[in-house]
Amino acid sequence: MTTVKTLLGLPGLRLRPLAGADLLDRPVTRIYVTELPDPGRYLSAGELVLSGLLWWRRPGDAEPFVAALARAGAAALAASGADSGGIPGEVVEACERHRIPLLEVPTDLSFSVITEQVVLALAAASESARKRLQAAADAPVETLLESASAELGLPCWVLSGLGRVVAGTSALPTPAPDVVRRYAAKESGSLTVVPVEGRHAVPWLIAVGGPLSTAQAELAEELAGLVGVTRARVAAPEAELPGEARVVALRTEGSDESRDVLRELLPDGLLLESTGDTSFAATTLRPSPAELSTVESLLRAKRIYCGVSDPGPRDEAWESARYALEVAARRRVPLVVAGEVDVHQLLVSGAPDGLRAALSRRVLGPLLAYDAEQHTDLVHTVRVFLECSGSPTRAAKALHVHVNTLRYRIGRAGELLGADLTEFTDQLDVYLALRAGDQAG
């Protein structure tokens, strides 16, 4: 990394610090020459600003110039007093006040020589930084980030496309899901984001804490390549799970990405089965809809659906997760937890489409035929009656009919169905047939 102190040691430049002697460790990313009274709109963080002070004409001119450097995060000001009778005292004072290192350029030194020397120093530092980073290629991701952060002079993070911080050199200033969403939407932010190389359904991203110079951007790309190699090299850990664990079933509609998504979603998980678009894993964790929605925009899959069992014996949890997944897919919602769904919904969802349709027709067929022929809606009456727990009074109120009318309709429906709709077992069969018909349709 090239710092202001590095420039003081360049042979032949003879730069001398006049202000900010305690700030010489600031990294320098590029050089910018200007004589504008207020160069703020053209400045970038980390720049060495080189000036002949032609903008200084009268007292008071130093304040707006130096303040612009401070706002932009300039590394230092290198100034020549050849055309101003030396460095004005107010320039020195403004630099001290705004904490901008001020370097005096010898009056006999050409700006072209300074520019050439600084550019060469930056190029050499960039090449050395790449070599040092490559030397850590076999190290864990955390070590790679620490090395890159030291070279860039900025904090670094590796983020999962699920909005998870895989590793970082400090606390992330922006929530990880927000960083991922902005990257997916190609929106700018306070962080520079670079995709990690590699063929994975769920991408990883390198986030760097600030704008980057060309040399820094090249180093970030190098880091992305090394992290990609490290990710591919490290095998998924063998999970050690208790006898009773959750099972998560995940489907990536229209793609074979379920395995990668599930592994990324559940870093502690034990993959149980994968058939391309659907995978199962045992885990101690419980995914969230927010994680699924964060990664969905980065995948080829049309939608992601997830079913989660309650903790229990693995075989039972597996079946429960499978049924919960079917409920999620039929409801078109990202995640369903089996313990939060009625038992009859899980049971009906576990049956194949054809079986659901056949059962519905077998039980409800006479009633459906009667409604079609007589232009009535006894099916709806039966549904409301059963959802009111078989209470004629509550059902009549819900349907806005007299209770005697309700009793007549239920009696007629029972005759057509060959069932006693006041008996619990018959009520259960008819209600399950109604729900099977809903899902089959």
Side-chain angles (χ1 to χ4, degrees), residues 14-59:
R14 295 172 284 133
L15 302 176
R16 183 168 69 95
L18 296 183
D22 60 331
L23 304 172
L24 302 181
D25 288 332
R26 287 183 175 179
V28 176
T29 58
R30 57 168 69 89
I31 187 168
Y32 174 64
V33 181
T34 184
E35 300 300 339
L36 294 172
D38 184 354
R41 72 180 66 180
Y42 304 109
L43 294 176
S44 299
E47 285 182 323
L48 172 70
V49 178
L50 186 58
S51 177
L53 303 182
L54 298 181
W55 47 264
W56 189 82
R57 300 180 182 279
R58 61 185 66 83

Side-chain angles (χ1 to χ4, degrees), residues 161-434:
L162 288 167
R164 175 175 62 90
V165 178
V166 177
T169 57
S170 65
L172 189 67
T174 304
D178 289 349
V179 177
V180 175
R181 277 193 290 269
R182 286 178 187 151
Y183 172 77
K186 299 181 180 180
E187 297 175 357
S188 60
S190 59
L191 304 176
T192 298
V193 180
V194 179
V196 170
E197 297 178 9
R199 295 182 177 181
H200 297 277
V202 181
W204 279 7
L205 307 172
I206 299 291
V208 183
L212 304 181
S213 65
T214 301
Q216 288 176 313
E218 291 175 354
L219 192 61
E221 293 283 354
E222 186 75 30
L223 173 62
L226 293 175
V227 170
V229 171
T230 300
R231 183 187 186 188
R233 185 176 64 240
V234 177
E238 288 295 330
E240 295 183 6
L241 299 171
E244 293 197 351
R246 295 182 190 275
V247 170
V248 174
L250 185 134
R251 179 174 300 157
T252 48
E253 187 180 83
S255 81
D256 59 356
E257 300 165 299
S258 64
R259 182 188 185 100
D260 280 354
V261 175
L262 202 53
R263 279 184 166 171
E264 189 68 23
L265 186 68
L266 306 172
D268 83 324
L270 176 63
L271 191 68
L272 301 176
E273 178 183 286
S274 180
T275 57
D277 71 341
T278 304
S279 297
F280 297 81
T283 177
T284 59
L285 302 177
R286 174 172 163 172
S288 70
E291 290 176 308
L292 299 175
S293 63
T294 296
V295 74
E296 196 170 56
S297 61
L298 301 174
L299 300 178
R300 290 182 286 108
K302 299 175 183 176
R303 292 287 302 273
I304 300 177
Y305 301 109
C306 189
V308 183
S309 77
D310 291 328
R314 189 169 297 175
D315 289 345
E316 293 179 11
W318 193 331
E319 289 302 309
S320 181
R322 181 166 67 88
Y323 293 160
L325 174 62
E326 295 304 324
V327 173
R330 293 183 183 283
R331 289 183 178 177
R332 308 292 291 178
V333 296
L335 184 142
V336 166
V337 179
E340 298 173 0
V341 179
D342 292 336
V343 173
H344 74 270
Q345 292 178 307
L346 288 178
L347 293 175
V348 170
S349 293
D353 288 346
L355 178 59
R356 273 192 294 269
L359 289 174
S360 179
R361 285 195 302 271
R362 190 187 77 184
V363 175
L364 302 176
L367 194 59
L368 294 169
Y370 180 85
D371 276 346
E373 181 180 337
Q374 301 296 324
H375 304 291
T376 56
D377 198 359
L378 285 182
V379 169
H380 178 62
T381 298
V382 170
R383 182 190 298 273
V384 173
F385 175 69
L386 296 178
E387 289 176 349
C388 289
S389 304
S391 169
T393 304
R394 287 172 53 194
K397 184 176 181 180
L399 291 168
H400 306 289
V401 298
H402 192 277
V403 69
N404 289 337
T405 301
L406 187 283
R407 287 194 175 98
Y408 170 77
R409 291 180 181 177
I410 292 300
R412 181 63 178 136
E415 291 173 3
L416 292 166
L417 295 172
D420 184 352
L421 293 179
T422 65
E423 290 292 330
F424 173 73
T425 53
D426 284 359
Q427 289 178 343
L428 181 59
D429 283 346
V430 172
Y431 186 69
L432 287 176
L434 286 167

